[in-house]
Amino acid sequence: MWQVFRYEWRTNRRSFFIWAGIIIVFQMMFAGIGDMYTSNTSLLDALKQFPPALLEGFGMHVEMFGSFEGWMAGEPLVFYMMLLGIFAAMWAASTVARERDRGTVDFMFTLPASRGQLFLGKACAHLLAFFLIAAVSYGVTVWFGHLFSTVADAGLLLTYSIAGLLAALAFAGIGYVMTVFVTSERTGMSLSIGIVILSFLFHLLSGMEKSLAWMSDISLFTVFNGKDLFDAGSLPWEGVFITIGIYAGGLLFGWLVLSKRDL
Amino acid sequence: MNAIKLSNLTKRYGSQRGIHEVNLEVQQGEIFGFIGPNGAGKSTTLRTIMQLIRPTSGTVELFGEVMNKECPDVRRRIGYLPSEVHYNEELTGKEVLDFAARMNGLLLQHTTAMALADQLKLDVSKRVKSYSLGNRKKLGIVQCLLHKPDLLVLDEPTSGLDPLMQHTFFQILMEQHERGATIFFSTHILSEVEKLCSRVAFIREGRLLRVSDVDGIPGKDRRIAHIQFKQQGNCIEAYRLRNIDPNAVYDGMEHRLVLQGDLHLALQRITAHELRDIRIEQPSLEDLFMAEYDASGNGGNHSQEQAGQSTQAGQLRERTGEQSSQTGHLHERVVEKPKQAGHSREDAVEKPKQVGHSREDAVEQPTQAGHSRERSDESEGGEA
């Protein structure tokens, strides 16, 4: 499995650096401009005129903008969850789909390793990638926060990072389900982006009207609400179980289907 | 002991045909050819053996072990070369080989991979994406051999290789065979089978039609001659070419004759007239099998087969006329291998009475019964 892990890393190296770069730059930017944003009173006044549901959708709570931690729990966390979620779902969806699409399935799956070993070896490589991006993102957030603002509670920022990581794991779980059914890497990629955006849209729309409230139940963006994290200062256990459950369930499902499926 | 044993192996893709009740045994140490037209089920059979696809029914046994669940350890004993070789394009050839070696529990430097790469003139330091089709094939060959497998499963291994590399590849295969490896490979090319195989199986429309000793390949001594005489126009009547081949044709450019039997005599007759150009080809294996299969009424009885001799030649001509480009690279082998004296095809092969049911029905083992096709061929040659 270790060899598969190495191979997957080598194969996805470029994609990893691109996505890591994008997510880290976003975090740097949000951490760097936080003070400029939150100290702009006319902007804050203008925001108060916006429909609360729309602000909620983007995680903007003006009352939280009094601190760097409050700012980072808003819009930056939503974007972080979205980008890391897309990255995770895309990588997971490509696990088998890429091998099929590129015709390398005959090579990979005739090696003396079980399909389960190949699948889990790849999933381990993905997991490390998600962890690394989350860790570096957290590091640059704290660093830029110290440089351009005032970080009062680095532990709270870590909570946000873990929340984003857990949401990404849930999206990866969905990707592992998809990967055994789609035969094109591009299809897997498109579906991954679509599912994350749709999840965000459900989160956005759920607050618009009462009749749409049910949408929040099927959105992974609702599992970790920035305001709740900021207020509680910790992760809700329910959210932790849901996201890890989806991840583990997706992995298990993908593994079982793959072991029975023609390639 | 059998290296491969397929018992009633069937694979259906929904309502689509895959393979149907294929029964086959390949003994350890044997070189076995697997022949069939495109879409016949060759790759499906090979991929089923490699556990890439699961059979709908029937069993695959490898080295006496039934493959009813995943057996990665058995795959360690197999080298598989797919018909189209693909690797991650971002990796170098060496990285691919290193990964394959490690997956087999070996270190690349402790394998023969680099020596094989040298032998095939493959630069493994380059990225896969820079490789031509032939170089990808070479990489595939090295990868499937590096762990010294006991069984080689090769799907059209020479496609994409130039003739020189094909020669080198055959040398490598013979070396593998000498060290005891079993080789099971699909091909379209008669010369490959003649050079290497002891037995050959022919599959069509998912059904195994026959298993035959190489010497028993129907009409393997036939040659197709494409002739341009100095005399312009159709010379069939003037030069009595129908005495050589009753179904000789002139397509406006060249005369096409199927030569069989006494080749020397036939060529003497042809070269009695002034030639502008002559090209002699071996028909492909599929052409030979298919011509006989069609002529015998899709697996009909032997008397039909005999009666259909000239029809076979006509069908063979139709096929080879259409596909001469496929066989064109065999020109250098012109009449180098005369028929083997005294060999009876009937001795080596029997047609199944009923195509593709149980193995006993579909593929009969050689018997001593029947008269010699050679005599029949000779008598036709004698007409020349």
Side-chain angles (χ1 to χ4, degrees):
Chain A
M1 210 154 82
W2 166 239
Q3 298 305 331
V4 182
F5 176 91
R6 281 183 59 202
Y7 175 85
E8 188 69 3
W9 255 109
R10 175 68 184 83
T11 306
N12 285 328
R13 199 168 55 184
R14 184 181 293 175
S15 164
F16 170 77
F17 284 120
I18 290 170
W19 274 98
I22 291 170
I23 294 169
I24 289 162
V25 165
F26 259 85
Q27 288 300 102
M28 283 175 168
M29 194 182 72
F30 280 122
I33 64 165
D35 266 14
M36 288 159 58
Y37 210 91
T38 53
S39 59
N40 187 338
T41 47
S42 56
L43 178 69
L44 294 180
D45 287 340
L47 279 176
K48 284 174 184 164
Q49 309 305 314
F50 275 68
L54 188 66
L55 293 174
E56 170 68 32
F58 283 95
M60 291 172 138
H61 298 274
V62 178
E63 66 272 21
M64 283 162 44
F65 284 4
S67 70
F68 179 74
E69 289 78 11
W71 156 247
M72 290 304 290
E75 197 180 352
L77 179 60
V78 171
F79 274 93
Y80 175 64
M81 280 169 72
M82 194 186 292
L83 289 173
L84 193 59
I86 289 174
F87 165 71
M90 272 171 50
W91 266 38
S94 74
T95 311
V96 181
R98 187 184 54 229
E99 308 294 349
R100 282 174 158 175
D101 197 21
R102 297 184 184 178
T104 50
V105 73
D106 280 19
F107 166 59
M108 282 299 290
F109 289 89
T110 54
L111 291 167
S114 69
R115 292 186 183 187
Q117 284 172 322
L118 292 168
F119 193 69
L120 292 181
K122 282 166 167 267
C124 286
H126 302 166
L127 190 61
L128 179 66
F130 309 152
F131 268 111
L132 276 179
I133 292 181
V136 177
S137 296
Y138 170 68
V140 297
T141 305
V142 174
W143 180 33
F144 271 60
H146 278 300
L147 282 179
F148 299 101
S149 187
T150 309
V151 178
D153 188 351
L156 195 54
L157 296 177
L158 182 62
T159 304
Y160 304 156
S161 278
I162 295 171
L165 176 65
L166 288 170
L169 287 182
F171 283 119
I174 296 168
Y176 290 126
V177 172
M178 287 193 298
T179 193
V180 287
F181 294 110
V182 295
T183 52
S184 149
E185 189 177 9
R186 199 167 285 185
T187 307
M189 212 183 278
S190 308
L191 281 172
S192 304
I193 295 169
I195 285 170
V196 176
I197 300 283
L198 200 66
S199 187
F200 172 68
L201 201 66
F202 283 167
H203 170 66
L204 196 68
L205 294 176
S206 63
M208 294 280 183
E209 205 189 289
K210 225 174 184 178
S211 63
L212 299 175
W214 60 271
M215 287 184 171
S216 69
D217 296 337
I218 53 170
S219 171
L220 282 167
F221 283 85
T222 318
V223 174
F224 297 112
N225 186 299
K227 186 169 187 318
D228 294 343
L229 294 176
F230 177 70
D231 290 342
S234 64
L235 291 167
W237 283 111
E238 190 187 353
V240 174
F241 284 130
I242 287 171
T243 49
I244 290 180
I246 293 173
Y247 174 68
L251 259 181
L252 189 67
F253 181 86
W255 177 6
L256 287 175
V257 173
L258 178 66
S259 63
K260 306 278 180 205
R261 204 167 168 77
D262 289 345
L263 293 168
Chain B
M1 187 184 174
N2 290 319
I4 302 173
K5 184 179 178 189
L6 310 180
S7 307
N8 295 318
L9 192 67
T10 299
K11 178 65 189 176
R12 278 191 291 273
Y13 298 100
S15 59
Q16 285 190 315
R17 171 186 59 75
I19 50 173
H20 184 71
E21 295 193 351
V22 171
N23 291 283
L24 189 67
E25 288 178 13
V26 180
Q27 287 154 12
Q28 276 195 343
E30 192 174 10
I31 305 184
F32 196 101
F34 197 47
I35 307 158
N38 290 337
K42 296 190 299 291
S43 294
T44 300
T45 309
L46 266 52
R47 286 169 61 81
T48 310
I49 291 171
M50 291 310 300
Q51 299 193 293
L52 286 166
I53 49 181
R54 296 166 70 86
T56 308
S57 63
T59 54
V60 176
E61 274 180 54
L62 299 176
F63 306 106
E65 194 173 333
V66 179
M67 301 285 106
N68 51 8
K69 59 176 175 25
E70 254 205 301
C71 301
D73 287 337
V74 174
R75 287 205 294 268
R76 202 181 293 277
R77 298 177 66 185
I78 308 175
Y80 173 61
L81 180 69
S83 57
E84 289 178 25
V85 179
H86 295 283
Y87 294 107
N88 188 315
E89 306 240 316
E90 296 302 317
L91 302 182
T92 64
K94 192 174 180 183
E95 284 174 318
V96 170
L97 296 176
D98 183 59
F99 173 61
R102 286 174 188 273
M103 288 298 287
N104 281 288
L106 303 166
L107 288 172
L108 186 60
Q109 58 268 33
H110 296 161
T111 70
T112 54
M114 302 317 273
L116 284 166
D118 280 346
Q119 211 173 337
L120 290 163
K121 296 184 170 52
L122 175 69
D123 182 355
V124 293
S125 65
K126 289 184 176 173
R127 282 182 195 271
V128 171
K129 68 179 168 193
S130 73
Y131 281 173
S132 65
L133 197 67
N135 279 339
R136 283 173 201 227
K137 199 76 172 193
K138 289 179 193 174
L139 183 60
I141 291 166
V142 176
Q143 181 251 309
C144 87
L145 294 176
L146 63 79
H147 57 296
K148 293 189 176 169
D150 296 327
L151 170 64
L152 290 169
V153 178
L154 314 170
D155 197 353
E156 296 181 24
T158 54
S159 65
L161 294 181
D162 62 49
L164 206 63
M165 277 304 136
Q166 287 184 14
H167 182 71
T168 309
F169 172 67
F170 290 139
Q171 279 182 331
I172 293 170
L173 277 194
M174 289 316 293
E175 286 163 15
Q176 298 292 321
H177 178 57
E178 279 162 18
R179 69 163 180 83
T182 308
I183 301 169
F184 182 64
F185 76 103
S186 75
T187 181
H188 294 273
I189 301 166
L190 177 56
S191 60
E192 289 183 1
V193 169
E194 281 184 304
K195 275 181 199 166
L196 294 170
C197 297
S198 47
R199 286 195 302 152
V200 63
F202 181 62
I203 189 170
R204 187 198 185 197
E205 292 176 357
R207 292 169 188 269
L208 195 70
L209 299 185
R210 68 164 62 196
V211 179
S212 156
D213 287 343
V214 166
D215 290 337
I217 293 172
K220 79 183 179 76
D221 59 338
R222 286 182 199 146
R223 299 292 181 271
I224 299 122
H226 303 259
I227 308 157
Q228 288 180 33
F229 294 103
K230 283 216 169 157
Q231 173 77 40
Q232 296 287 322
N234 188 341
C235 303
I236 291 176
E237 295 304 326
Y239 294 165
R240 296 183 182 179
L241 298 179
R242 294 208 197 282
N243 288 347
I244 304 170
D245 174 9
N247 296 299
V249 291
Y250 176 67
D251 64 7
M253 287 285 289
E254 60 184 21
H255 300 80
R256 205 159 53 236
L257 285 79
V258 174
L259 311 179
Q260 53 189 21
D262 192 338
L263 209 52
H264 180 71
L265 197 59
L267 285 173
Q268 269 188 336
R269 285 217 147 190
I270 292 166
T271 53
H273 310 284
E274 278 198 290
L275 298 178
R276 184 188 304 280
D277 191 15
I278 185 166
R279 206 169 79 244
I280 301 181
E281 294 174 348
Q282 271 190 317
S284 73
L285 281 166
E286 288 91 326
D287 291 336
L288 292 172
F289 276 109
M290 292 292 286
E292 191 193 65
Y293 180 73
D294 292 344
S296 59
N298 287 0
N301 61 35
H302 183 70
S303 59
Q304 284 177 304
E305 188 183 329
Q306 292 297 307
Q309 274 297 297
S310 61
T311 319
Q312 283 180 40
Q315 283 163 342
L316 183 61
R317 180 186 355 276
E318 281 171 28
R319 295 179 191 288
T320 51
E322 287 165 6
Q323 299 170 11
S324 60
S325 60
Q326 286 182 15
T327 51
H329 60 285
L330 297 168
H331 295 175
E332 73 276 11
R333 298 198 74 255
V334 174
V335 250
E336 71 182 14
K337 195 159 182 175
K339 62 184 186 287
Q340 291 177 14
H343 176 78
S344 162
R345 180 197 311 166
E346 198 61 27
D347 286 350
V349 183
E350 285 189 1
K351 283 187 80 73
K353 293 183 183 72
Q354 203 173 1
V355 175
H357 284 98
S358 68
R359 194 178 72 80
E360 289 74 20
D361 288 338
V363 183
E364 292 180 12
Q365 293 304 311
T367 70
Q368 297 302 315
H371 65 269
S372 166
R373 165 63 59 87
E374 200 62 37
R375 283 204 298 275
S376 161
D377 289 346
E378 277 175 5
S379 67
E380 285 184 27
E383 284 176 28

